[in-house]
Amino acid sequence: RGGRQSSREITAPFFVSGGGLRSTLALINTGDAPLTVGVTGRDSSGGMFGSPAIMTLGPGQARNSEIETLLGVARIARDLSEPINGSIVIQTLRGSMLPLLASLQIDGFDGAGRHQAGMHYWVAESAQRHWEIPIMATSRRYFGSFAIASPNVGLPIQTEAIIDVFDSEGRLLE
């Protein structure tokens, strides 16, 4: 579903850094004009994480950035044994969000730096009313999880979420 944006702000509801985990933000300008965006990190309590980043993507340009490097906290995140998590807000500073595709990838590594697991999701509009996570797995080596981040940080507005889980046959699990 996700991908194409129509508003001027989108939120990636979850990133994690440190403790053997790394998040990478991918941005692609599918339009025919330059697109300037600002990227801001928020920690799990809604406070600022790192320093906001501003970048301009040319027509057809893609950029992959590790969150730690993008927000200027790479050394801090590498030194942490416990991960930091939060959300990412992407805003257009010039131009419409429409030609922007955004996704976030989270990878896990063992103590020797070997890749152990990963997940990828499209970053969708903050006002999206429906979001699907196509595969969730739970076993000894893998787990499934999700996060919901309210775009209303600092406002006295609550966000309601209804979560339905279906089995592989499409039946609602109680």
Side-chain angles (χ1 to χ4, degrees):
R1 299 214 187 241
R4 293 210 174 263
Q5 310 307 323
S6 58
S7 67
R8 294 184 59 84
E9 180 178 291
I10 53 177
T11 301
F14 184 73
F15 79 88
V16 62
S17 297
L21 298 166
R22 180 173 56 219
S23 297
T24 304
L25 179 67
L27 299 173
I28 305 167
N29 178 1
T30 63
D32 56 8
L35 181 66
T36 301
V37 297
V39 179
T40 305
R42 300 270 179 208
D43 64 23
S44 58
S45 63
M48 279 295 248
F49 177 76
S51 301
I54 297 173
M55 66 180 80
T56 299
L57 299 169
Q61 183 180 2
R63 182 168 298 166
N64 291 325
S65 304
E66 288 184 17
I67 295 299
E68 301 89 354
T69 303
L70 182 66
L71 300 178
V73 293
R75 195 164 56 139
I76 296 168
R78 274 196 298 269
D79 292 342
L80 294 175
S81 59
E82 291 296 316
I84 297 170
N85 64 72
S87 59
I88 300 294
V89 177
I90 305 163
Q91 298 175 306
T92 54
L93 303 178
R94 270 195 334 247
S96 156
M97 248 331 162
L98 187 58
L100 183 70
L101 291 175
S103 68
L104 195 113
Q105 180 162 331
I106 301 172
D107 294 293
F109 299 88
D110 66 13
R114 293 183 299 253
H115 189 264
Q116 296 294 304
M119 70 163 280
H120 177 266
Y121 69 89
W122 288 104
V123 180
E125 290 182 53
S126 298
Q128 186 168 340
R129 298 186 52 82
H130 181 88
W131 186 42
E132 285 184 27
I133 303 172
I135 298 172
M136 295 284 287
T138 302
S139 71
R140 266 185 105 191
R141 291 185 51 149
Y142 301 99
F143 67 92
S145 65
F146 61 92
I148 299 172
S150 172
N152 303 316
V153 174
L155 298 175
I157 299 171
Q158 293 184 349
T159 301
E160 180 179 345
I162 299 171
I163 301 165
D164 291 324
V165 179
F166 297 86
D167 67 13
S168 60
E169 302 292 320
R171 293 181 297 250
L172 179 65
L173 298 177
E174 298 285 333

